[in-house]
Amino acid sequence: MINASKPKIWYGGDYNPDQWEKQVWDEDLRMFKLAGIDVATLNVFAWAKNQPDEDTYDFGWLDEMMDKLHADGIGVCLATSTAAHPAWMARKYPDVLQVDFNGNKRKFGGRHNSCPNSPTYRKYAVRMAEKLAERYKDHPALLIWHINNEYGGAGNCYCDNCEAAFREWLKERYGTLEAVNRAWNTGFWGHTFHDWEDIVLPSGRSEEWSGANGRTETNFQGISLDYMRFYSDSLLECYKLEHEAVKKYTPNIPVTTNLMGAFKKLDYHKWAKHMDVVSWDNYPRFDTPHSYTGMMHDLMRGLKDGQPFMLMEQTPSQQNWQPYNSLKRPGIMRLWSYQAVARGADTIMFFQLRRSIGACEKYHGAVIEHVGHEHTRVFRESAQLGAELGKLGDALLDSRVKAKVAIMFDWENWWAIEMSSGPTIALRYVDEAHKYYDALYRAGIAVDMVSVEADLSDYELVIAPVMYMVKPGVASKLEQYVAAGGSFITTFFSGIVNESDLVKVGGYPGELRKLLGIWAEEIDALLPSQRNRVVITDRNIGLKSEYECGMLCDLIHSEGAEVKAVYGDDFYAGMPALTVNKFGEGEAWYLATSPETAFLSDWLPKLCADRGIAPLLADVPEGVEVTLRVKDGVEYLFVLNHNEAAATIDLGKQGTELLSGRTMQGGSAELAGRDVWIVKLHN
Ligand code: GLA
Ligand code: ZN
């Protein structure tokens, strides 16, 4: 547990005193105290200030600030500042500058602007991390390391160093050029490579182009997929080098870097293995579904097997980088903060503590607004939350969310699905996963978002939406899980390819065919305006007689699976649309198309109920979210009312509501609009 050194939900955020005159520092500290702030993330973008030239390091301001914060009881989340290189470095060593997708060499500017394979960048980034660790290793304010910032936050690099590194990466992965040729199916379009030097990066100058719907299109999925793996690994390597550098001096200080939820470019399952604690930045739009934010929290919690995570950043009020930056309405910041805690966060932190006056983030909200004093709505709300978190103390720390349902999520599968040329550009992996998540969320059923490597033995139901890519060992693992009594659901366009995007011949869904007891002969893509119908043929499964479906329709044949529904229209009317195969003690479902959401919200809760998976609270009004965290046998029930209006909730059990201290008598009670209960249940 990271909070041991300061045993409460840490409260604070990014603080950039290096961008301010010293006169305001004491005023900041005065207000931090009023807001109950006890952690400050320092030094995120101060590389150029700390290292004015190649040989000079000057940490004067940081020394002073660390001491000041410590004197006020505030701990420090210390960033290594390597997410934006100094201008002098770019001028002197142009290899730190990236080459973009179209081959243009960048000049100095922006941030997340370094080539991850630049020897200069790596050398100086590691040196900076080392200097900081050496200097502050015994500083009592140091709580945690924050390496870099939002890795991958800008474009990719396509420079010669990256190209050479890609070839090395391939040698490591494949050993021989023959194996590369096989994996990429290079017989196609005359691509056979005879020399490692033949291989170039896939970019706008070679295999790729920007297509519709925000997609990157490619001629060669195998090459592009390996490039994405390589690029995620390149940035991860930078992280690991800095991680190692700080660990040398501070082996006991935890290390993190701030992730971004379903951020496509980085395979976070791989990254999390090298992080002591997961932290992430939560920036929903005002109209982002609450279930989507919930899914992101659960995805981040799942990266390290359900261990608590840090909410590293959120805005107290508004953002600046969306087209329309609405204010968080009164009560929303508090509510969404507790949503994070309800799903496993052990810190609540903001970007940022004081609003900047220049450049592109001056219209980004902060605890201390431009007016500079504490008499603002945002400050009052921040201070209220700070006081509440103080009161909660260590009660919730390190408590766990327990789910009986898992949704499998896989980055490489995501990449492969969305670089597929055909059958449709409409298929968005995260949206498809969210449809399943949302149906369970609405039913109040807890879900873990897990990797394909996860141990499934604790789950009653595992859902793998669009498991297009089946990685080695996954099919047999799923077979074992189902044979032992588990229930499994997968969908259309699954079991098609291996890790290299090569089709598994012999009938889709390839390696999953035996488990599912079906085979798919063809896949129809529907226009956005077209629909088919899922007509339920087994009236015992308790669904309405029919539902709409669209996007993709697999034309499947049963080879032993029971048919529960068929298509209603077109030349494949009457062919199976939903099947279930008994396999050992369990069963495996195949949903051959993308259904309307009503189908999932009717079907999934029913499946869960049949397996004894109940919602945490029965009959909860729409817009009320319920979760449970458990520690040492003590249960903490979170009830969050996302509605503006009050909601009547039947708690069922008695407990103590921790924010108000009042005893809840089990019966019906009214929860105000946008309000929260955290009920410690009496057992
Ligand atoms: C990101 C960054 C911060 C800041 C915020 C603004 O999360 O990490 O530095 O730019 O966005 O929303
Ligand atoms: Zn590069």
Side-chain angles (χ1 to χ4, degrees):
M1 173 173 97
I2 55 156
N3 312 50
S5 54
K6 190 183 267 295
K8 66 174 285 289
I9 295 177
W10 293 353
Y11 189 51
D14 277 38
Y15 176 44
N16 301 306
D18 46 310
Q19 297 169 19
W20 288 84
E21 302 296 325
K22 275 195 192 168
Q23 293 87 286
V24 303
W25 292 11
D26 289 326
E27 192 53 6
D28 289 340
L29 290 168
R30 182 185 70 80
M31 281 190 275
F32 292 169
K33 196 161 269 172
L34 291 178
I37 281 167
D38 49 44
V39 56
T41 304
L42 287 183
N43 198 41
V44 182
F45 289 104
W47 195 350
K49 188 178 189 94
N50 295 339
Q51 191 182 358
D53 62 49
E54 193 156 358
D55 306 309
T56 315
Y57 290 85
D58 179 1
F59 296 104
W61 75 273
L62 191 53
D63 291 350
E64 200 179 324
M65 187 41 82
M66 297 273 291
D67 292 348
K68 260 183 185 299
L69 289 168
H70 179 63
D72 267 25
I74 297 176
V76 172
C77 169
L78 188 54
T80 57
S81 78
T82 54
H85 53 238
W88 62 258
M89 194 182 292
R91 193 157 49 84
K92 191 156 179 198
Y93 301 106
D95 68 290
V96 303
L97 293 167
Q98 300 185 348
V99 170
D100 73 15
F101 184 70
N102 295 312
N104 297 315
K105 180 79 173 168
R106 307 268 315 168
K107 290 193 171 190
F108 175 75
R111 63 172 176 176
H112 309 127
N113 47 3
S114 310
C115 164
N117 290 298
S118 148
T120 309
Y121 171 71
R122 286 190 176 185
K123 176 172 122 191
Y124 285 110
V126 168
R127 189 173 290 176
M128 176 54 83
E130 247 167 31
K131 293 253 179 226
L132 289 163
E134 191 182 8
R135 190 171 193 91
Y136 298 111
K137 64 181 188 318
D138 297 319
H139 200 289
L142 178 61
L143 294 175
I144 184 165
W145 290 108
H146 175 303
I147 307 288
N148 201 283
N149 186 70
E150 294 192 336
Y151 275 102
N156 284 4
C157 181
Y158 297 85
C159 75
D160 292 346
N161 280 328
C162 285
E163 198 156 84
F166 184 47
R167 295 183 192 123
E168 292 311 309
W169 184 92
L170 290 168
K171 283 180 194 161
E172 182 99 348
R173 182 176 171 91
Y174 293 103
T176 66
L177 205 48
E178 289 67 47
V180 176
N181 279 316
R182 247 195 326 276
W184 291 352
N185 198 38
T186 52
F188 183 77
W189 286 3
H191 272 50
T192 307
F193 299 115
H194 297 287
D195 192 309
W196 290 101
E197 299 291 312
D198 290 346
I199 296 172
V200 299
L201 294 173
S203 73
R205 297 177 68 204
S206 54
E207 303 294 357
E208 297 184 348
W209 65 100
S210 302
N213 224 359
R215 286 167 46 116
T216 299
E217 303 290 349
T218 177
N219 296 315
F220 265 85
Q221 279 67 24
I223 303 179
S224 295
L225 206 49
D226 273 337
Y227 170 73
M228 292 193 75
R229 291 186 177 112
F230 155 77
Y231 206 78
S232 175
D233 284 358
S234 296
L235 290 165
L236 177 57
E237 190 55 31
C238 294
Y239 166 83
K240 280 160 68 182
L241 291 170
E242 288 195 40
H243 180 276
E244 229 169 78
V246 298
K247 282 287 184 189
K248 255 198 288 184
Y249 295 91
T250 56
N252 300 320
I253 300 286
V255 179
T256 191
T257 181
N258 48 343
L259 308 182
M260 293 177 273
F263 178 68
K264 191 170 178 183
K265 225 153 77 174
L266 305 183
D267 182 351
Y268 284 157
H269 282 127
K270 210 164 169 188
W271 278 67
K273 293 186 176 130
H274 305 279
M275 298 168 67
D276 295 327
V277 59
V278 165
S279 64
W280 87 284
D281 302 344
N282 180 30
Y283 289 103
R285 293 155 46 126
F286 83 102
D287 59 351
T288 300
H290 308 303
S291 64
Y292 185 86
T293 306
M295 181 168 96
M296 293 304 105
H297 287 308
D298 292 359
L299 182 66
M300 296 295 97
R301 184 184 74 240
L303 294 179
K304 281 192 94 64
D305 278 334
Q307 284 176 37
F309 57 89
M310 297 174 71
L311 182 68
M312 183 65 89
E313 292 182 25
Q314 64 169 348
T315 177
S317 58
Q318 73 192 143
Q319 289 139 51
N320 65 284
W321 43 267
Q322 290 177 359
Y324 307 98
N325 296 281
S326 325
L327 295 173
K328 284 184 177 168
R329 273 36 205 172
I332 293 290
M333 182 278 285
R334 172 176 178 267
L335 179 66
W336 292 3
S337 299
Y338 284 124
Q339 186 188 27
V341 177
R343 295 188 172 277
D346 274 0
T347 77
I348 295 297
M349 294 159 71
F350 297 111
F351 182 89
Q352 56 183 334
L353 298 186
R354 182 185 273 274
R355 197 188 268 245
S356 64
I357 57 167
C360 65
E361 285 177 347
K362 59 184 171 299
Y363 300 120
H364 193 290
V367 173
I368 303 173
E369 297 280 28
H370 282 151
V371 69
H373 59 55
E374 65 269 35
H375 308 292
T376 64
R377 174 184 75 94
V378 172
F379 191 91
R380 278 192 298 274
E381 291 192 30
S382 305
Q384 183 199 339
L385 181 57
E388 288 178 356
L389 296 179
K391 198 154 127 192
L392 283 172
D394 66 355
L396 298 161
L397 295 183
D398 210 29
S399 59
R400 305 298 161 106
V401 175
K402 299 236 181 286
K404 286 282 158 211
V405 181
I407 293 180
M408 282 187 154
F409 188 93
D410 185 74
W411 262 264
E412 297 181 14
N413 184 45
W414 180 8
W415 299 339
I417 286 170
E418 293 182 10
M419 64 171 70
S420 174
S421 181
T424 178
I425 62 162
L427 178 54
R428 309 287 290 233
Y429 180 58
V430 178
D431 291 349
E432 210 54 33
H434 177 243
K435 275 168 78 170
Y436 288 78
Y437 184 94
D438 183 63
L440 293 160
Y441 175 96
R442 284 171 191 279
I445 293 167
V447 171
D448 280 342
M449 299 292 295
V450 303
S451 81
V452 294
E453 289 176 356
D455 174 6
L456 303 177
S457 50
D458 281 346
Y459 299 111
E460 299 287 339
L461 174 63
V462 173
I463 306 174
V466 206
M467 190 182 253
Y468 168 70
M469 175 188 286
V470 179
K471 295 180 170 178
V474 171
S476 57
K477 171 202 178 116
L478 290 170
E479 284 176 4
Q480 279 164 29
Y481 163 73
V482 176
S487 295
F488 176 66
I489 298 174
T490 192
T491 71
F492 64 95
F493 206 43
S494 287
I496 313 274
V497 299
N498 72 4
E499 280 192 301
S500 300
D501 201 62
L502 291 177
V503 169
K504 172 81 182 157
V505 293
Y508 322 127
E511 289 190 60
L512 301 175
R513 188 167 162 182
K514 187 163 125 222
L515 173 62
L516 293 160
I518 53 129
W519 79 278
E521 183 175 339
E522 295 183 87
I523 305 167
D524 193 21
L526 277 57
L527 300 178
S529 57
Q530 281 181 310
R531 292 286 176 276
N532 203 312
R533 283 176 302 140
V534 173
V535 179
I536 308 298
T537 48
D538 180 351
R539 301 317 309 271
N540 295 326
I541 65 172
L543 298 176
K544 286 192 304 223
S545 57
E546 62 174 61
Y547 297 86
E548 283 195 338
C549 65
M551 185 155 57
L552 287 178
C553 297
D554 284 3
L555 278 52
I556 64 174
H557 305 279
S558 166
E559 324 177 283
E562 285 171 45
V563 177
K564 298 291 187 182
V566 296
Y567 288 113
D569 300 305
D570 219 318
F571 76 94
Y572 43 93
M575 287 185 81
L578 176 67
T579 59
V580 61
N581 194 38
K582 300 271 183 273
F583 190 92
E585 301 293 306
E587 60 187 34
W589 294 82
Y590 194 80
L591 178 52
T593 180
S594 185
E596 62 173 303
T597 53
F599 173 82
L600 296 177
S601 38
D602 288 352
W603 183 45
L604 295 179
K606 174 98 191 18
L607 266 190
C608 287
D610 292 347
R611 278 149 196 78
I613 308 165
L616 290 162
L617 282 186
D619 303 320
V620 172
E622 171 97 38
V624 174
E625 178 173 338
V626 184
T627 74
L628 189 74
R629 286 183 72 169
V630 184
K631 179 164 77 166
D632 304 330
V634 182
E635 296 183 322
Y636 299 91
L637 188 76
F638 288 75
V639 187
L640 304 127
N641 184 4
H642 290 285
N643 303 301
E644 260 185 87
T648 305
I649 315 283
D650 190 352
L651 258 193
K653 293 183 187 170
Q654 290 193 345
T656 307
E657 203 285 302
L658 298 181
L659 298 173
S660 60
R662 82 177 156 133
T663 304
M664 311 286 292
Q665 297 298 348
S668 281
E670 189 151 292
L671 176 58
R674 293 177 184 156
D675 203 359
V676 183
W677 290 331
I678 306 175
V679 187
K680 180 177 175 182
L681 297 177
H682 302 165
N683 287 318

